[in-house]
Amino acid sequence: NDLDVAMRCLEKSLNIRQAELGQNDESVADTLCWIGRILRERGAYQDALSKLRTAHDIKVTLLGDDHLEVAESLQNIGVLYDDMGNHERSLEAYGECLRIRRLALGNDHEDVCETLTCISNVHRIMGAYERALQLYQEILRFKTSQVEAATPPDSFALSSLLQVYEDMLDMNKARLGENNDNDATHKEIAELLLKMGTLYNTKFKDHKKAMEYYQKSLQVGKIKKDHKHVGDVLNIMGVVYAKNGSHKKALKCLNDSLSMRRTVLGDKHIEVGLALHNIGNLAAKEGDHRKAIASYEEALGIKREAYGPESISEAKTLHSLGLVHNQAENYDAALKCFKHALSIRKEKLGDSHLDVAFSLNSIGKIYKKQGDKNNAMECFSTSMNIKKSLLASDHISIAETISEISYIHEENGDIENAIKSQSAALFIYQTKLGDHMNTADALVSLSRMYDSIGDYTMAIDSYTNAIRIQEQILGRDHLTIAETMYLLGKVHQKNGDIDKVLSLFKDVMRIRKKYLGKNDLSVAAVLNDVGIIQAERNQ
């Protein structure tokens, strides 16, 4: 019914325009195009073709052969020929449309991509998969650039890119139907599945779906005994598993990838070094310092041989190695690694690069642990200046360095500046992260500072908020919460609220007994506190 009304309106409009403006007016051509589209939808192809051809001839006469309006009319004619099954004539119309659009718009335009898609789909229908896939490579490049340029990610562009991958996958499967022994087609399918997995992982943030495609890609590689591809996919899967906390699965994938890469590429290949670096990262997360250090050190040797000494990649592994030594409390070794990484980064990237700021921040932490407050403050301050010049003022990384500076102020007895700095860090955490462990940690630090200057009201308020956040994230029974409760209890004790103290210490004792056993020294410490409180109350 809507199309009937539309047709009646358009036909009356056409009659008036032709009578008033003549047969060759541009508005007459526009109305003819709309009538042609409706006729196409009704299946009246010959009548539709007549209208669209007439509209096209008018536009060529008025605007010239290379006008975008002419290209649009050719696109409509191409679609109609498609519906009619006349693929040769369809390709002629699309081809001329593409020529005009490239000339007017360049190669990187949505309309050019639209016409390329139409042309490739015609070749696909005709079974000319090789030609269709060649065109799809250009479409893929354009769609990928759209996705990469969009911040935040554009859901329509992502879905459009995913559809291109799906279409290319279907065409390659059709090619396999013609020749199942085509290794190149199998390889293309495996790569497409891998890219689709990566799209789901990095853009859609759908890790479960990503793993489905990674597994399919892995299976194709195994069937064709493409050991290089298998090693690559296993490495990617290992990294994704690690980021999502599935460390056991991650370690298996990374070790299998390393073994495969050693077999195919040899022990000194750079991809073996990259796999070792990833294994080092995972071992560090698991607290296996020995394995992490061994993996990083072997990776360093390979990187130095592959890239030459003092490469950016070497600096990355040196920094990671320093982090492990820091975890293991090997502070001298950590400092040596961080300083070496800093030297490389300054030489290769310049003094004001963000990686230089990260190195300085890590060096500052080591100096702080060693009690060298002056050097620590210098590192943190320089790191802060670099970050402020490169990042937004409310960036989390800036908050982290502000927090470190706050600790130095606190240790120097400058509580006023310590509170000022930690409050600034807290504001960023609350604004950017909300109820997050970083927010809770900042609240605990502020509480300690307020306690030290006798501002028990602020200390109690901050500890209470910290416990609320910790319970949301960690659950009610966690040792971290027990520690914060213990500190809150101590403030209440100073403030004279003994009933509140005993209530908190009771919960602290229950949690510590649960996780550490009833004979742990931390349980004894709480029992001792309770005993003294009760004795003093009796006195």
Side-chain angles (χ1 to χ4, degrees), residues 9-117:
C9 292
L10 288 167
E11 285 176 339
K12 287 180 181 179
S13 173
L14 179 64
N15 290 334
I16 295 169
R17 286 177 167 179
Q18 286 176 328
E20 295 296 322
L21 303 171
Q23 298 290 329
N24 291 323
D25 188 79
E26 191 175 347
S27 66
V28 171
D30 291 337
T31 305
L32 283 167
C33 280
W34 277 106
I35 292 171
R37 289 178 183 178
I38 292 173
L39 289 168
R40 180 178 69 82
E41 288 189 34
R42 287 177 163 178
Y45 295 141
Q46 289 301 330
D47 288 342
L49 184 60
S50 174
K51 301 297 184 187
L52 292 175
R53 278 291 183 193
T54 303
H56 173 69
D57 292 343
I58 294 170
K59 290 190 175 185
V60 169
T61 301
L62 295 174
L63 304 172
D65 291 334
D66 296 335
H67 197 278
L68 284 172
E69 288 288 329
V70 174
E72 180 67 25
S73 66
L74 285 164
Q75 181 82 9
N76 290 330
I77 291 168
V79 171
L80 178 59
Y81 276 129
D82 256 353
D83 291 347
M84 297 169 68
N86 191 340
H87 302 310
E88 294 296 333
R89 298 301 298 273
S90 175
L91 286 174
E92 288 177 14
Y94 285 143
E96 182 62 10
C97 174
L98 181 65
R99 181 193 68 78
I100 297 169
R101 285 180 166 176
R102 284 193 194 276
L103 184 67
L105 304 171
N107 292 325
D108 296 328
H109 193 276
E110 184 69 47
D111 290 349
V112 172
C113 186
E114 177 194 25
T115 307
L116 279 169
T117 303

Side-chain angles (χ1 to χ4, degrees), residues 462-477:
S462 297
Y463 274 136
T464 303
N465 277 328
I467 291 169
R468 177 185 59 79
I469 295 170
Q470 289 170 345
E471 286 182 341
Q472 284 181 15
I473 297 169
L474 304 173
R476 288 187 60 83
D477 290 353

Side-chain angles (χ1 to χ4, degrees), residues 263-510:
T263 301
V264 176
L265 303 171
D267 290 337
K268 298 299 182 182
H269 195 278
I270 187 57
E271 291 193 15
V272 172
L274 298 176
L276 283 162
H277 182 96
N278 288 334
I279 289 171
N281 289 344
L282 185 59
K285 286 181 181 177
E286 291 281 274
D288 189 345
H289 302 141
R290 183 178 296 179
K291 184 176 180 65
I293 290 169
S295 298
Y296 285 141
E297 286 181 343
E298 187 177 355
L300 276 174
I302 295 169
K303 287 184 175 185
R304 284 166 181 157
E305 190 169 321
Y307 297 135
E310 311 291 288
S311 69
I312 294 299
S313 187
E314 179 184 344
K316 180 181 178 181
T317 301
L318 278 166
H319 190 85
S320 298
L321 181 58
L323 293 174
V324 177
H325 280 304
N326 182 28
Q327 289 175 6
E329 300 182 359
N330 301 325
Y331 298 133
D332 289 339
L335 192 59
K336 182 179 178 181
C337 290
F338 288 143
K339 284 185 173 181
H340 193 176
L342 175 65
S343 172
I344 296 172
R345 287 172 168 174
K346 279 187 172 183
E347 181 183 346
K348 300 292 185 181
L349 303 172
D351 291 344
S352 299
H353 194 276
L354 198 55
D355 284 350
V356 171
F358 292 147
S359 289
L360 285 165
N361 204 67
S362 296
I363 291 169
K365 287 180 180 180
I366 299 298
Y367 280 136
K368 185 183 76 171
K369 288 177 179 178
Q370 291 180 331
D372 190 344
K373 292 178 285 188
N374 291 335
N375 274 323
M377 181 62 89
E378 183 180 347
C379 288
F380 290 140
S381 298
T382 306
S383 175
M384 173 64 72
N385 290 335
I386 296 170
K387 288 180 179 181
K388 282 185 174 179
S389 70
L390 299 172
L391 302 173
S393 59
D394 61 349
H395 196 280
I396 297 302
S397 185
I398 289 177
E400 290 168 353
T401 304
I402 292 174
S403 188
E404 294 292 352
I405 289 172
S406 171
Y407 294 139
I408 301 299
H409 284 312
E410 184 183 12
E411 289 181 13
N412 283 332
D414 187 356
I415 304 302
E416 182 180 351
N417 276 319
I419 290 174
K420 183 179 178 181
S421 296
Q422 197 63 255
S423 296
L426 175 64
F427 178 77
I428 296 174
Y429 289 141
Q430 288 174 325
T431 304
K432 304 295 285 190
L433 302 176
D435 288 347
H436 188 274
M437 283 304 296
N438 284 18
T439 308
D441 290 343
L443 283 165
V444 169
S445 297
L446 273 173
S447 303
R448 184 180 63 249
M449 295 170 194
Y450 285 127
D451 180 19
S452 71
I453 59 173
D455 191 342
Y456 301 135
T457 301
M458 289 297 293
I460 289 168
D461 183 61
S462 297
Y463 274 136
T464 303
N465 277 328
I467 291 169
R468 177 185 59 79
I469 295 170
Q470 289 170 345
E471 286 182 341
Q472 284 181 15
I473 297 169
L474 304 173
R476 288 187 60 83
D477 290 353
H478 194 280
L479 286 171
T480 299
I481 296 169
E483 178 62 25
T484 309
M485 284 180 170
Y486 182 74
L487 294 171
L488 176 57
K490 286 290 190 180
V491 178
H492 277 300
Q493 186 177 359
K494 293 175 185 177
N495 207 34
D497 192 346
I498 301 304
D499 289 337
K500 190 66 177 177
V501 177
L502 293 174
S503 175
L504 285 163
F505 282 180
K506 182 179 179 182
D507 283 335
V508 172
M509 201 150 31
R510 176 181 56 78

